[in-house]
Amino acid sequence: MAVRGCVCPHPPLLVPAVGGENRRRVQATVDAMERLAAEGGPADLAIVISPHTPGYADAVAVRTPATLWGDFSAFRCPSVGVEIDNDVEFVERLLERADGEDGLALEPLDDEVLDHGVLVPLFFLTARRLVNLSVARPYELHAPLGRLIRETADELGRDALFVASGDLSHRLQPGAPAGYDPRGTLFDAAVVDHFARGDLDGLRHLDPALVQGAGECGLRSFIALGAYLGADAAPARVLSYEGPFGVGYAVAAFGESA
């Protein structure tokens, strides 16, 4: 099976009915997401890890209902959404495997309503089935999580696309959502450099002060993606990066779909 993954930002304004005129200000991101979808093609299974999926402080949550759905009602656009089958076999096997994984807590989430961290990537990407996971507070949980997901995908023979949903710094400029911090720009440059070199493992070793100053939301997702890909992270391509609203948006492809 091809091993492939991607980094996707998740601002709802990427969706035309939500973004309106502001969508033009993130055109590079829109173009990159459309290119990612066209070049990668449909997947049998999309595994999406989102920092906005409800979870637990010290454990990762995985949605368990047979059917998952969501729309952009929270952004005044209930007419745009998705309904998709959950890969229940994959979820059950993942939970079984996690029981024997030292230091990794994985908990079931009986909630079928998808968050925008999943919905925005799925607005562009096509998959027959979905597995949706949250992040947890400790950064160190996410590399074991990525490896566990890869082992489960290999065991079940899934044609899977691992989608690391997340934005970069939220502090790129004065007036940014989380305020301004000059470390935001430095953080984004470092992360995009790691993406371009296919060195996602190196993201685990970024300066903690740089990470804290960035006010990011995606690093845990990116670390899980790196562990999932392992030695298959290359080839790697950064398709776009921009931050017109003070939040960094990067689109990148890894593995055989890159």
Side-chain angles (χ1 to χ4, degrees):
M1 291 291 181
V3 178
R4 53 194 179 124
C6 58
V7 166
C8 295
H10 51 237
L13 60 85
L14 296 180
V15 176
V18 176
E21 289 298 313
N22 282 327
R23 193 172 188 253
R24 293 185 298 177
R25 297 181 62 186
V26 288
Q27 192 62 51
T29 301
V30 170
D31 292 345
M33 288 297 296
E34 291 176 346
R35 182 177 172 189
L36 182 70
E39 294 180 357
D44 176 57
L45 171 64
I47 303 168
V48 184
I49 181 167
S50 164
H52 295 288
T53 296
Y56 310 93
D58 297 316
V60 172
V62 56
R63 294 190 192 271
T64 57
T67 302
L68 305 174
W69 70 275
D71 59 36
F72 289 94
S73 293
F75 304 93
R76 300 180 180 179
C77 188
S79 62
V80 179
V82 67
E83 182 174 314
I84 189 169
D85 290 337
N86 193 4
D87 190 336
V88 175
E89 181 185 21
F90 193 103
V91 169
E92 291 175 348
R93 190 71 187 102
L94 197 61
L95 288 166
E96 290 170 5
R97 279 180 164 273
D99 282 342
E101 188 76 16
D102 185 35
L104 176 61
L106 187 64
E107 298 290 341
L109 177 63
D110 184 20
D111 177 5
E112 73 275 11
V113 183
L114 300 170
D115 59 277
H116 74 272
V118 183
L119 293 174
V120 173
L122 289 186
F123 179 79
F124 296 92
L125 305 175
T126 303
R128 189 168 69 88
R129 293 178 289 182
L130 175 69
V131 168
N132 173 212
L133 302 104
S134 75
V135 301
R137 182 174 56 196
Y139 287 90
E140 60 269 20
L141 292 183
H142 298 84
L145 174 66
R147 289 191 290 268
L148 186 70
I149 294 170
R150 171 68 179 272
E151 291 166 4
T152 305
D154 288 346
E155 177 188 340
L156 296 178
R158 293 295 193 263
D159 172 26
L161 173 66
F162 192 111
V163 181
S165 175
D167 300 332
L168 279 69
S169 174
H170 290 55
R171 297 173 176 165
L172 295 180
Q173 61 192 35
Y180 173 67
D181 191 306
R183 289 173 291 183
T185 300
L186 298 176
F187 171 84
D188 281 15
V191 170
V192 171
D193 177 65
H194 279 281
F195 288 168
R197 292 186 286 111
D199 178 24
L200 278 74
D201 183 65
L203 295 172
R204 297 190 294 126
H205 309 295
L206 291 175
D207 181 352
L210 186 65
V211 175
Q212 182 179 10
E216 53 76 35
C217 80
L219 186 57
R220 294 168 178 84
S221 297
F222 308 153
I223 290 171
L225 170 61
Y228 173 84
L229 293 167
D232 297 306
R237 287 185 301 147
V238 176
L239 301 179
S240 69
Y241 170 79
E242 60 183 346
F245 300 103
V247 179
Y249 304 137
V251 181
F254 304 90
E256 293 188 29
S257 63

